[in-house]
Amino acid sequence: MSIKSQQRIDQLIRKLADGQFHSGESIAEELDVSRTAVWKLIQKISEWQLEIYKVRGRGYQIPKGLELLQQDWLRDQLAKAHSKFQHIDVLTSVTSTADYLAAQWKKHPGIARVCVAEHQTAGRGRKGRAWISPFAANLYFSIGVELPLGLSALGGMSLAIGMSLAQTLNQFACDKIKLKWPNDLLVDDKKLAGILVEASGDSNDNSFLNIGVGINWDMQLAQGEKIDQPWANLKSLCQQDVSRNDILLALLVNIEKALTEYQMNGFSGFAKDWNHLSAMYLRPVTIHLPSTQIEGIEVGVESNGALRLETTNGVQSFHSGEVSLRKR
Ligand code: BTN
């Protein structure tokens, strides 16, 4: 899409975000385009799983309006917090925030940065799955950071990030959020958020982390119908009136703290809080490995992040695998 079309789409979305009806004529005038061009732009954003009403004689409306992510506000707040994540780009639509960040990193290596998007056309989940990313319904962001740690020291990193996310979100959601090893966030055993950490570098000294986070906020049933597992939204758990902007800011500030803690002490500082946060602690689970599966009771994590299962052959530790709950 050309920069001009992108700007027009941004303008159009900002206008419709108020939840009011806007006539095709008034939009065309403001964007300085024809009414046919307005219709085409509306078609385009409707493809992003954004519901737009068209009523003859009244115009276009986004029912209930939208609370959009605010790049300037986020930048200001991060500057006030002396955060190193002040290079933050808030995009309307992108293939994947992870891919955008990787491309930015090639151009400007070494600078910590964040990319947030209202919509992803090719959001990526773990194990090659797609991450469904309807417009402005959820949070999708990636953080790029360089650490003076080799790849071999990153074993517990994605757990540490997951714990930081869960602890931060629990401040808004009354401690209802738990973790499934290694780093899925769950509410009542339904998936609330996922993390995809991609690391590159050398084994001993240095690494670049691309930390991708997707959090369901207020996704409608129709928007999430292609998701192949039970899922939950964050908004309905929040007691206070809190916005996606507030939540994103709190998450970025706390992830930065978690990265600093990990850099100093590795995962060992996090390990003590795992049992309390784990959705599967002392529950019967199966761990699915490439060529086999093992049953056991989850009994915590090692100080390097490995999962501990009590099995018929004693306690065994696992560094990778997919965990599922066993119904008794
Ligand atoms: C998972 O499968 O649980 C991980 C999901 C990670 C999704 C996020 S959304 C932001 C970032 N961009 C992507 O394409 N993926 C991650």
Side-chain angles (χ1 to χ4, degrees), residues 96-98 120 123-126 131 141-142 184 191 194-195 212-214:
S96 153
T97 57
Q120 299 184 112
R124 293 189 278 115
R126 291 174 62 223
W131 190 258
F141 63 97
S142 292
D184 279 357
K191 185 149 171 171
I195 302 167
V213 179

Side-chain angles (χ1 to χ4, degrees), residues 172-173 176 187 192 216-218 232-239:
F172 301 99
K176 292 197 184 101
V187 176
L192 178 78
N216 301 332
W217 168 249
D218 192 18
N233 275 325
L234 178 63
K235 190 177 182 196
S236 54
L237 303 175
C238 294
Q239 299 288 311

Side-chain angles (χ1 to χ4, degrees), residues 132-174:
I132 306 289
S133 310
F135 189 88
N138 301 319
L139 275 173
Y140 322 109
F141 63 97
S142 292
I143 298 173
V145 71
E146 190 169 61
L147 293 183
L149 294 177
L151 294 174
S152 56
L154 298 180
M157 176 58 88
S158 71
L159 272 79
I161 303 286
M163 291 177 71
S164 164
L165 287 181
Q167 283 162 336
T168 306
L169 296 180
N170 270 333
Q171 294 166 11
F172 301 99
C174 307

